[in-house]
Amino acid sequence: MELIVDLHVHSHYSRATSKDCTIEGLYRWGKIKGINIIGTGDFTHPGWLAEIQEKLEPTEGGLYQLKDDIARIIDASLPQSVRNNLIRFIPTVEIATIYSKGGKVRKLHQLVVMPGFTGVSELNARLDKIGNLKADGRPILGLDSKELLRHALESDPEALYIPAHIWTPWFGMFGSKSGFDSIQEAFEELAPEIRAIETGLSSDPAMNRGVSNLDGVTITSHSDAHSPQKLGREATIIEAKPTYDDIIEAIKSNDKRVRGTIEFFPEEGKYHSDGHRACGIRFDPGQTREHGGICPACHKPLVVGVQYRVGELTDTADAIHPKQVEYIVPLPEVLAELHGVKSVTSKAVISEYMNIIAKLGSEFDVLRKIKLDAVKDHSALIGMAIERIRSGQVHKEPGYDGVFGTIRVFKNAQDRAAMTLQISLL
């Protein structure tokens, strides 16, 4: 069966996260979004680990489900259209490591996936001797990433270790500020254990496949959600049984079961282009080279983004990515644009969003699968917007230096008004 997999999430114990990042919140929004396999996130935090062990129970094939009495209450509050969506959980955590290697300070984020709580307990016991696991849901450890990988595999050989958002300047394995130039440089003799990477919001599979160092490595995408509403802004599509072994084996082997990914348009990511947020400077790689990497306003080094860094490591011309790639704009963002409001949490947007879910199905069904005629029968304007997204006919303003980019269905308000008028005349 087709499984939508999102392994990179956070709990309310992580910094800068929503108080709604509870296991119930993840379950509820997983159903609304249409996501089947969700990482628990933050399993190194003792408070969160206690919560998820109390509320989850093991199910078929080594996955976990919300206990029935809790699930029934949540399901009763959901539209009928999404109540039967399958939801399973896998223990996961993102860990930050900061250490010196090769004469440079390295700051890397990595996603660790475990098949069960026995391995989780063993890994937590090891890491508790190295750093403070109570301070943050995403712990920061003074540990070489290679050694973190070793601890994970020794805790459970079936663990999966994924370098997270690998191009992010400050915390990616290939990041311009503190990363490496190859997997081998970062993980040395354990490099063969790196079976998958996460693209991050600012890159897509095509950008990654030009780097021969990633040949044979599975490209995955996940949301890095800091609120349950952000689940699935990126995800991985896997054709597999809903079991730990089948899902993880598919990722590790990079076989045909990994069908592809659901992606942000990479320009929307907040580190796609180069620049200086404080100076309002946004450059493409050519402009950065013209200025020698120096901001023309403050004369300090620019924050070199993902597009530039990918160009530095790309060494394969016309690389082919054999998997499917589907670009989306989250439905609340589409509705905010159509309503002419800035906030995706405005009353008008939330009301229209839940109305669509109730009538048509999950958000991913609406964005990916439901026939456009059916969407247009509900709303001609929304149908036109989704048609443009599916065909890639969107307007892009790239993100830079921590500022999210903007993806718009309409070029401007006049374009939106013209489309509205055109629809009214049909």
Side-chain angles (χ1 to χ4, degrees):
M1 63 184 296
E2 181 186 85
L3 299 173
I4 306 300
V5 179
D6 185 358
L7 299 177
H8 190 169
V9 304
H10 290 281
S11 76
H12 59 94
Y13 286 96
S14 281
R15 292 175 185 170
T17 56
S18 166
K19 61 180 177 55
D20 296 325
C21 279
T22 60
I23 203 69
E24 295 92 338
L26 295 174
Y27 176 88
R28 171 183 171 79
W29 280 96
K31 290 222 167 186
I32 292 171
K33 296 280 186 176
I35 302 163
N36 308 116
I37 309 298
I38 304 174
T40 62
D42 296 2
F43 69 55
T44 52
H45 194 283
W48 181 243
L49 181 60
E51 282 190 37
I52 59 179
Q53 287 184 303
E54 176 188 351
K55 296 174 181 178
L56 296 179
E57 59 186 7
T59 185
E60 73 282 348
L63 300 179
Y64 292 84
Q65 65 182 8
L66 195 62
K67 288 183 176 177
D68 190 56
D69 57 334
I70 306 172
R72 280 202 309 269
I73 294 172
I74 299 173
D75 287 347
S77 71
L78 294 173
Q80 186 66 45
S81 61
V82 299
R83 287 182 188 176
N84 293 328
N85 289 348
L86 174 75
I87 299 286
R88 295 290 184 263
F89 291 93
I90 295 180
T92 63
V93 65
E94 182 188 24
I95 297 174
T97 54
I98 301 178
Y99 58 102
S100 179
K101 191 169 189 172
K104 290 178 61 177
V105 174
R106 314 291 182 167
K107 300 179 181 180
L108 272 65
H109 286 180
Q110 37 265 307
L111 182 66
V112 180
V113 184
M114 281 284 179
F117 290 122
T118 301
V120 166
S121 296
E122 171 63 25
L123 180 59
N124 287 354
R126 289 167 174 249
L127 299 184
D128 191 47
K129 299 174 183 177
I130 297 169
N132 183 2
L133 301 185
K134 299 177 182 178
D136 194 345
R138 180 184 63 199
I140 302 173
L141 304 177
L143 179 68
D144 190 311
S145 291
K146 182 186 75 171
E147 295 308 314
L148 175 61
L149 171 57
R150 191 189 307 278
H151 281 300
L153 294 175
E154 289 177 354
S155 297
D156 195 314
E158 301 305 314
L160 173 66
Y161 185 105
I162 303 177
H165 43 72
I166 63 169
W167 299 99
T168 301
W170 303 100
F171 297 104
M173 178 177 68
F174 290 160
S176 62
K177 292 295 183 182
S178 58
F180 298 90
D181 288 341
S182 71
I183 296 173
Q184 292 71 24
E185 185 185 3
F187 293 96
E188 299 171 327
E189 74 277 8
L190 294 185
E193 300 295 340
I194 301 299
R195 309 285 188 83
I197 57 91
E198 179 188 60
T199 62
L201 302 182
S202 296
S203 81
D204 63 8
M207 295 168 70
N208 285 264
R209 276 302 173 218
V211 180
S212 63
N213 192 242
L214 297 176
D215 287 350
V217 176
T218 305
I219 290 178
T220 70
S221 292
H222 310 282
S223 67
D224 194 2
H226 285 228
S227 71
Q229 293 90 335
K230 298 294 185 182
L231 278 172
R233 54 185 177 178
E234 291 199 336
T236 303
I237 308 167
I238 299 178
E239 191 75 26
K241 300 172 185 176
T243 68
Y244 182 90
D245 287 346
D246 212 28
I247 293 167
I248 302 305
E249 182 187 335
I251 294 175
K252 286 184 176 182
S253 63
N254 195 25
D255 64 23
K256 63 182 181 180
R257 287 173 292 180
V258 180
R259 298 281 298 279
T261 57
I262 298 168
E263 300 281 333
F264 251 34
F265 287 95
E267 292 85 357
E268 190 170 3
K270 59 184 180 179
Y271 291 104
H272 184 75
S273 292
D274 314 323
H276 258 177
R277 175 174 41 185
C279 300
I281 297 294
R282 177 178 59 198
F283 282 167
D284 61 31
Q287 291 171 304
T288 299
R289 285 189 288 270
E290 288 175 7
H291 288 83
I294 300 299
C295 175
C298 68
H299 307 294
K300 295 179 180 179
L302 293 163
V303 174
V304 172
V306 169
Q307 189 180 22
Y308 188 105
R309 183 65 174 147
V310 168
E312 286 188 320
L313 296 188
T314 294
D315 57 358
T316 302
D318 302 320
I320 298 174
H321 180 61
K323 311 290 186 179
Q324 71 187 62
V325 180
E326 301 177 31
Y327 295 95
I328 64 166
V329 178
L331 188 54
E333 293 182 18
V334 177
L335 297 177
E337 181 182 352
L338 298 184
H339 282 279
V341 298
K342 292 183 177 180
S343 174
V344 296
T345 59
S346 71
K347 186 176 180 180
V349 169
I350 293 173
S351 176
E352 180 66 25
Y353 179 84
M354 294 308 299
N355 186 32
I356 292 171
I357 299 302
K359 291 185 176 180
L360 298 179
S362 72
E363 180 175 344
F364 274 163
D365 280 348
V366 173
L367 292 173
R368 301 175 57 232
K369 290 186 172 181
I370 293 174
K371 292 182 178 179
L372 287 171
D373 286 345
V375 182
K376 290 177 181 177
D377 285 344
H378 172 80
S379 166
L381 189 59
I382 293 172
M384 290 282 192
I386 290 175
E387 184 174 23
R388 287 190 175 188
I389 293 168
R390 289 185 185 180
S391 63
Q393 298 177 40
V394 296
H395 302 272
K396 308 169 185 177
E397 293 181 3
Y400 68 102
D401 193 15
V403 179
F404 276 108
T406 302
I407 307 297
R408 295 194 306 271
V409 175
F410 302 107
K411 187 174 183 180
N412 48 41
Q414 291 76 19
D415 184 22
R416 184 175 72 244
M419 179 63 74
T420 304
L421 177 61
Q422 178 184 338
I423 290 171
S424 69
L425 295 175
L426 295 176

